[in-house]
Amino acid sequence: MKNVCRIEFHTGSKEELFPDFAPDFPYTASCSQLDKFMGRFVPWHWHKNVELFYMESGRMEYCTPKGRMIFPAGSGGMVNSNVLHMTRPQAESEKNIQFLHIFDPSFIAGQHGSRIEKKYVTPITAAPQAEIIALYPEDPVQAKILDTIRESFHLSENDFGYEIKLREALSDIWIQLFAISRPLLEEKGYSNKTNDKIKSMMVYIHEHYAEKISIPEIAAAAYSSERECFRVFHDCLHMTPVEYVKNYRLQTACHMLADSRETITNISHACGLGSSSYFGKVFREYTGCTPLEYRRKWQENDI
């Protein structure tokens, strides 16, 4: 299990990239310390892979277009395939440690079209009503699943038969999740076209953030009207398109400040934020410090 304090994304989108995945073993385990992440949060993103997690310490907030859930230490859950979400800690002072299994559904489903995939995997991954399956220790049945999840992180890659034991453990957890989720899965499902629209608009912004971007251009990326564009951003991300563009540019600037020696002026223009004076103003509002102070703190590992 590797320690993680930042995530990577596919070029031009906010679909998370998993460089450790191998074609013959689409799985990775990580220990995420969110209080050490840049900005102390993980921005809106999605991934085809399933995210199974356990909160070792701290309190985590998961946000999706449908709402928010709080996960204190000892709780956990599963984020479904392709669900748009963001996470942040609930308190600035506490240590926030999260254990994660990230895996492609095929890891337990086997060959595409298999009976296992059709009967047990797809009913969950294709269910729009099952964005996040939350588990809390106060419920005896959920507590048992949480114990199984936590124990599964004790498997070692050096153990004989590790790959088979891991798939067995994840399959056991999956069938337990399936069992407690059956009432939810039996509810009438619906196709969430809004989710597809917001992703298309986000991808457009991620590809053109360095340029001037207009609301009609963002809306056109999802074949929508300007009014629909504002509604989708409000309903899904709880902000306006302009606010999202500005925040994304500032997030990009944070990474450039931490990872490069580019001048403040160059970073400002590269992120579509215009003059260095304007950049300094909005950056301080966003982070509480100047760009140079942020660079110094991050590169000295004080953030």
Side-chain angles (χ1 to χ4, degrees):
M1 186 188 306
K2 68 173 185 175
N3 292 323
V4 174
C5 59
R6 67 186 300 171
I7 62 175
E8 298 179 49
F9 299 104
H10 286 279
T11 302
S13 80
K14 272 296 182 186
E15 183 175 354
E16 188 172 352
L17 175 66
F18 297 95
D20 293 339
F21 266 42
D24 61 345
F25 199 68
Y27 166 86
T28 187
S30 61
C31 174
S32 174
Q33 299 184 54
L34 203 58
D35 48 301
K36 294 184 179 180
F37 269 66
M38 193 175 297
R40 301 191 78 253
F41 76 104
V42 178
W44 289 100
H45 67 287
W46 66 90
H47 39 75
K48 178 192 174 187
N49 307 304
V50 170
E51 179 176 317
L52 185 66
F53 66 92
Y54 178 84
M55 289 300 301
E56 180 69 10
S57 66
R59 288 170 61 86
M60 176 89 77
E61 178 183 12
Y62 267 83
C63 298
T64 72
K66 290 184 181 178
R68 57 193 286 270
M69 289 183 176
I70 305 299
F71 293 92
S75 65
M78 188 199 83
V79 181
N80 212 344
S81 175
N82 287 314
V83 169
L84 183 64
H85 61 287
M86 66 91 70
T87 57
R88 56 192 169 204
Q90 280 290 285
E92 293 188 6
S93 57
E94 64 184 8
K95 194 172 185 179
N96 195 292
I97 298 177
Q98 180 189 37
F99 297 148
L100 299 108
H101 291 299
I102 309 289
F103 58 96
D104 189 284
S106 66
F107 188 65
I108 58 174
Q111 183 177 345
H112 178 60
S114 70
R115 184 182 302 180
I116 292 174
E117 180 187 61
K118 292 177 181 177
K119 193 172 181 180
Y120 300 106
V121 178
T122 301
I124 292 181
T125 59
Q129 64 270 39
E131 285 190 337
I132 296 181
I133 300 174
L135 303 169
Y136 298 101
E138 293 77 16
D139 183 294
V141 175
Q142 295 178 21
K144 181 183 176 183
I145 303 175
L146 286 166
D147 288 341
T148 308
I149 294 174
R150 188 176 187 191
E151 284 298 315
S152 66
F153 288 105
H154 293 160
L155 291 170
S156 171
E157 294 183 38
N158 299 320
D159 291 344
F160 176 74
Y162 162 73
E163 292 83 358
I164 291 178
K165 291 177 182 178
L166 175 64
R167 187 171 63 179
E168 179 184 19
L170 294 179
S171 297
D172 180 32
I173 295 166
W174 188 273
I175 198 63
Q176 291 184 65
L177 290 173
F178 186 92
I180 67 169
S181 302
R182 292 182 77 175
L184 176 64
L185 300 177
E186 288 170 1
E187 294 178 5
K188 186 176 181 180
Y190 60 94
S191 176
N192 191 351
K193 294 182 179 179
T194 298
N195 193 50
D196 294 334
K197 286 184 178 181
I198 189 64
K199 287 178 181 177
S200 296
M201 294 179 191
M202 289 170 70
V203 169
Y204 181 84
I205 292 169
H206 305 155
E207 290 177 339
H208 299 276
Y209 68 90
E211 310 162 16
K212 287 186 177 181
I213 303 177
S214 68
I215 300 301
E217 289 170 335
I218 296 173
Y223 304 100
S224 299
S225 65
E226 292 182 49
R227 182 177 179 180
E228 177 74 355
C229 175
F230 277 101
R231 185 193 68 78
V232 168
F233 269 89
H234 178 270
D235 291 350
C236 292
L237 306 188
H238 317 295
M239 63 178 71
T240 67
V242 173
E243 288 171 333
Y244 183 80
V245 172
K246 180 180 174 181
N247 286 352
Y248 184 77
R249 285 169 169 164
L250 287 165
Q251 290 166 23
T252 303
C254 285
H255 285 284
M256 291 185 70
L257 286 166
D259 295 339
S260 76
R261 294 290 180 181
E262 285 286 340
T263 66
I264 302 302
T265 300
N266 286 347
I267 290 175
S268 174
H269 288 291
C271 295
L273 289 164
S275 69
S276 56
S277 59
Y278 173 75
F279 175 47
K281 176 178 178 294
V282 296
F283 191 87
R284 181 184 282 275
E285 292 172 352
Y286 183 71
T287 65
C289 61
T290 68
L292 285 176
E293 288 171 341
Y294 186 91
R295 167 175 278 170
R296 190 181 309 116
K297 289 178 182 178
W298 180 257
Q299 294 188 351
E300 292 175 359
N301 295 316
D302 288 333
I303 290 181

